[in-house]
Amino acid sequence: MSGGILWLASYPKSGNTWIRIFLENLFRNGAAPVSINELNVVSFGDAQRDLYQSLTQRPIDEMTDQELDQLRPVLQQKLASRPETSIVKTHNRIGFAGDIPIIGLEQTMGAIYVVRNVFDVAVSFAAHYNGTMEQVVDGLCRDTMHTPTTKAAIVQYLGPWGEHYRGWTGVPGFEPLVLRYEDLRSKPFKEFSRIVKFLNIPATPERIKKAIRFSNFEEVSRQEKQAGFRERVRSEQTFFREGKVGGWRKSLSDAHVAQLIDVHGDVLRELRYIDKNGKPTV
């Protein structure tokens, strides 16, 4: 291994893209916000079809998920062997696809893990993937939860929301920087400064504040309305939809909330999303 892989990891719809845009603005340090369609600092994702296609002569569309899984270690070794550290976006859990490690920890030199309240994840996930709330809430509780291979990306193994968090934060000797989406929203300078410190970037407070301002929700939403966002799943989709904390209260039924608490209660308490009596706090 040369530079290794630094993972930018999260369950889908938890703020991963927001951090990528922040890092782009921080590294470029320009006089104007960078285009959300020109993100090069975190230019790799472990679900990118073109990266897998570069490793095989067979068309991706003709390959099964099991065959694509065989390429995961090859791709991760290739990214880890680059002279500089490869920052790689992932929504995958830490675990196995058959007998293939989904995330190769031997190629890993670190990780940033972003977690968001599962109630808000459910609402955003349903809008993003055009699913019903029943489908999404059930999926967030199911071990087989995944996003299938499509024209946009290869299969991503998610698993239950709580186990996804436990997997990334429970490996002995492996200590990712853990960030709550809600803290990024309420205390942006403090929390984004933690990212800068973790990455050992010599940035002044003024530079950090500018990168935060250039990547805020209003700015990225404005850009998407003007020029679209090439990472959208569907062309008619709005990727940067609301980004609110607590928006779930308008959309989730009491039964859905109870189901999520029943399955993920321990993690929800640990992350302060519910109190000791099981009442939502965010």
Side-chain angles (χ1 to χ4, degrees):
M1 184 171 73
S2 187
I5 293 174
L6 189 145
W7 298 100
L8 179 53
S10 72
Y11 215 85
K13 309 311 296 178
S14 298
N16 198 306
T17 301
W18 183 18
I19 291 179
R20 291 168 58 213
I21 296 170
F22 164 78
L23 289 174
E24 195 73 32
N25 279 288
L26 183 76
F27 275 83
R28 292 204 200 183
N29 195 28
V34 299
S35 167
I36 59 174
N37 290 307
E38 297 177 5
L39 303 180
N40 299 312
V41 173
V42 187
S43 58
F44 301 117
D46 69 345
Q48 281 180 236
R49 287 174 58 103
D50 61 323
L51 294 179
Y52 289 81
Q53 191 62 75
S54 70
L55 301 174
T56 179
Q57 294 183 350
R58 291 181 60 193
I60 293 296
D61 291 333
E62 296 179 5
M63 299 180 69
T64 65
D65 289 343
Q66 291 71 32
E67 290 171 327
L68 289 168
D69 289 335
Q70 297 288 332
L71 297 177
R72 289 182 187 274
V74 181
L75 174 60
Q76 291 176 28
Q77 182 59 51
K78 180 179 179 180
L79 293 175
S81 299
R82 298 173 70 241
E84 65 275 16
T85 296
S86 297
I87 307 179
V88 182
K89 170 186 175 178
T90 185
H91 291 314
N92 278 302
R93 69 194 300 182
I94 288 184
F96 290 84
D99 59 354
I100 303 295
I102 301 169
I103 301 293
L105 292 176
E106 64 275 13
Q107 280 86 40
T108 297
M109 56 81 63
I112 297 171
Y113 185 84
V114 195
V115 62
R116 186 183 187 188
N117 186 356
V118 68
F119 306 142
D120 279 327
V121 169
V123 174
S124 187
F125 200 108
H128 185 77
Y129 289 103
N130 201 28
T132 68
M133 202 60 69
E134 287 73 20
Q135 290 171 331
V136 170
V137 170
D138 285 345
L140 288 166
C141 301
R142 193 174 63 242
D143 188 65
T144 56
M145 179 64 161
H146 68 285
T147 58
T149 298
T150 65
K151 295 294 184 182
I154 74 157
V155 59
Q156 299 176 91
Y157 299 103
L158 310 179
W161 173 86
E163 289 189 21
H164 195 282
Y165 167 79
R166 287 274 190 245
W168 276 96
T169 60
V171 178
F174 179 57
E175 297 183 3
L177 173 67
V178 179
L179 303 160
R180 292 200 327 163
Y181 175 88
E182 296 75 18
D183 296 332
L184 289 164
R185 292 282 291 179
S186 65
K187 300 174 288 186
F189 179 74
K190 177 181 178 182
E191 295 302 304
F192 280 104
S193 293
R194 292 178 63 207
I195 299 174
V196 174
K197 182 178 180 180
F198 182 77
L199 297 177
N200 198 28
I201 301 170
T204 64
E206 291 73 22
R207 182 175 170 183
I208 297 171
K209 289 177 182 177
K210 182 174 69 171
I212 293 170
R213 188 171 69 254
F214 283 177
S215 56
N216 67 26
F217 183 82
E218 291 74 19
E219 171 59 29
V220 299
S221 180
R222 180 192 66 79
Q223 288 196 37
E224 183 181 15
K225 289 176 182 176
Q226 287 186 349
F229 185 43
R230 66 184 183 188
E231 296 182 21
R232 291 187 298 200
V233 175
R234 306 182 309 278
S235 59
E236 76 280 5
Q237 174 192 36
T238 298
F239 188 94
F240 302 103
R241 200 174 56 88
E242 288 187 351
K244 291 181 178 179
V245 172
W248 63 269
R249 295 178 185 274
K250 298 183 298 181
S251 304
L252 279 186
S253 69
D254 291 344
H256 290 145
V257 172
Q259 181 180 350
L260 291 168
I261 291 176
D262 182 59
V263 174
H264 304 299
D266 289 345
V267 174
L268 287 165
R269 288 186 183 88
E270 178 180 326
L271 291 168
R272 308 187 308 281
Y273 292 137
I274 61 174
D275 63 21
K276 62 181 180 181
N277 297 316
K279 182 179 179 181
T281 58
V282 178

